[in-house]
Amino acid sequence: MEKQDGINLIGKVTSDDNLWRAYKRVYANKGAPGVDGITVNELESHMLKYYEPLKQKLKDGTYQPQPVKRVAIPKADGSKRFLGIPSVLDRVVQQAILQVIDPIIDPQFSENSFGFRKGRNQHQAIERAKEYYQEGYKVVVDCDLKSYFDTIHHQRIRAYLEYFIKDKIVLKLVWSFLRSGILDKDIYIETTEGAPQGGPLSPILANVYLNMLDRELERRGHRFVRFADDFVIYVKSRRAGERVMESITEFVEKDLGLTINQKKSKVSGATTATFLGFNIQNLMGK
């Protein structure tokens, strides 16, 4: 692990170039306003008005994000997925942090992790799965994490982040986003766990947390593919698959504090399993 001694990360976060690059990204992404009602079109003037105090609060770690605005997105099965929309200024700050920490953290992630990463995509994840199948690993352990983003353990994510990031002020700012709370209509909900989907930092935090899973799977010598919270392990027999399902469920629930959805998780032949919406059997002719 390369140390960051002598590297002032918060200085990089608060540099004019980095902050305005973050503004441009947030503006380009558009998106709905957060709890304060300020739109992306009003963002530039809002930033200019509070720019120096903003920089100072970021430098000393006293910046306090607003609660995220909860929005329900209907899913195909009739249930709802909740997004947390940060205010536009909070999105700029998150993006500014992301631009500095991503180049440090991402290169240390597993080669078998494909979701929410630059230069990596679903197609590559499927290709990796095909390679395992062609090598004779024709049984799939398909593990579904129950409400993953809502159940990320805050103390653990903080400890995992400290492995990658040494700057205490940057860590404090990330922590403040995790603890900023949710506003559901007019009801404030304290956040003691989870990382609401919707902000620029959520994807990398999700990968930092599940990096512990990746490393454990590698340590055990498993062939696996992970795309965000969706992961599959390829083995050679159903019996091996049952054993792996049992041991990985124990690790995920005991060591990571997450829950395996028993209804959606299964061991099956690779040709009948679907991963990221694709079926191996349909892909083998391509």
Side-chain angles (χ1 to χ4, degrees):
M1 168 70 189
E2 186 183 345
K3 289 194 173 181
Q4 295 153 24
D5 294 346
I7 299 176
N8 177 6
L9 291 188
I10 192 60
K12 290 186 174 184
V13 170
T14 58
S15 73
D16 293 339
D17 174 67
N18 189 58
L19 283 170
W20 287 107
R21 200 153 50 88
Y23 156 77
K24 284 177 184 173
R25 174 60 68 90
V26 170
Y27 182 81
N29 287 343
K30 302 302 179 187
V35 294
D36 59 8
I38 295 171
T39 68
V40 287
N41 292 326
E42 299 166 314
L43 176 56
E44 185 177 12
S45 60
H46 183 69
M47 266 186 77
L48 288 167
K49 186 177 179 183
Y50 297 103
Y51 192 64
E52 290 307 322
L54 167 67
K55 281 182 71 170
Q56 193 54 50
K57 285 177 182 177
L58 291 175
K59 281 177 182 174
D60 57 28
T62 59
Y63 180 83
Q64 192 52 52
Q66 298 185 70
V68 298
K69 182 179 179 181
R70 175 172 276 181
V71 177
I73 309 294
K75 289 167 75 172
D77 61 5
S79 62
K80 291 178 181 176
R81 181 167 68 100
F82 291 104
L83 292 183
I85 301 175
S87 73
V88 285
L89 188 59
D90 286 344
R91 298 208 290 268
V92 169
V93 173
Q94 285 195 37
Q95 181 64 35
I97 294 170
L98 178 67
Q99 287 168 183
V100 171
I101 69 172
D102 186 64
I104 296 168
I105 297 175
D106 188 82
Q108 299 180 69
F109 284 152
S110 169
E111 281 299 306
N112 295 312
S113 163
F114 293 90
F116 304 141
R117 298 180 65 189
K118 275 181 193 166
R120 289 177 161 253
N121 55 41
Q122 271 190 327
H123 177 71
Q124 293 167 326
I126 298 297
E127 285 300 312
R128 181 67 52 88
K130 273 172 67 176
E131 286 169 20
Y132 294 147
Y133 180 81
Q134 287 165 334
E135 288 167 9
Y137 295 86
K138 299 191 176 180
V139 174
V140 177
V141 181
D142 185 355
C143 298
D144 184 88
L145 294 173
K146 192 174 185 181
S147 304
Y148 170 59
F149 282 88
D150 298 330
T151 56
I152 289 174
H153 191 283
H154 280 186
Q155 300 296 343
R156 284 190 176 104
I157 188 74
R158 190 174 191 172
Y160 300 161
L161 261 178
E162 285 172 359
Y163 173 82
F164 295 106
I165 301 296
K166 304 303 176 193
D167 190 307
K168 286 185 166 53
I169 293 179
V170 172
L171 288 167
K172 186 179 177 183
L173 289 171
V174 173
W175 183 250
S176 70
F177 279 108
L178 282 170
R179 311 289 282 193
S180 65
I182 295 164
L183 203 63
D184 190 348
K185 298 184 176 66
D186 292 327
I187 301 166
Y188 175 78
I189 303 162
E190 189 181 356
T191 44
T192 55
E193 62 177 7
Q197 290 173 270
L201 281 173
S202 296
I204 196 168
L205 293 178
N207 273 334
V208 163
Y209 202 92
L210 289 180
N211 184 56
M212 302 303 288
L213 170 65
D214 297 342
R215 295 310 179 198
E216 181 63 19
L217 293 173
E218 288 172 349
R219 191 184 69 77
R220 297 182 185 193
H222 289 314
R223 273 95 178 147
F224 72 97
V225 187
R226 184 172 68 78
F227 193 95
D229 57 338
D230 198 350
F231 71 100
V232 285
I233 304 162
Y234 283 77
V235 295
K236 287 192 169 177
S237 71
R238 182 170 284 276
R239 191 174 171 193
E242 300 290 355
R243 279 201 309 269
V244 169
M245 176 68 87
E246 188 178 335
S247 64
I248 289 303
T249 297
E250 185 182 356
F251 173 78
V252 165
E253 299 195 341
K254 187 177 169 187
D255 293 74
L256 298 183
L258 301 170
T259 304
I260 295 285
N261 187 333
Q262 298 295 342
K263 287 182 182 176
K264 292 186 178 179
S265 300
K266 59 187 178 297
V267 177
S268 61
T271 53
T272 58
T274 57
F275 177 52
L276 302 176
F278 292 94
N279 181 287
I280 286 282
Q281 195 165 26
N282 296 339
L283 291 167
M284 293 315 293
K286 294 183 180 181

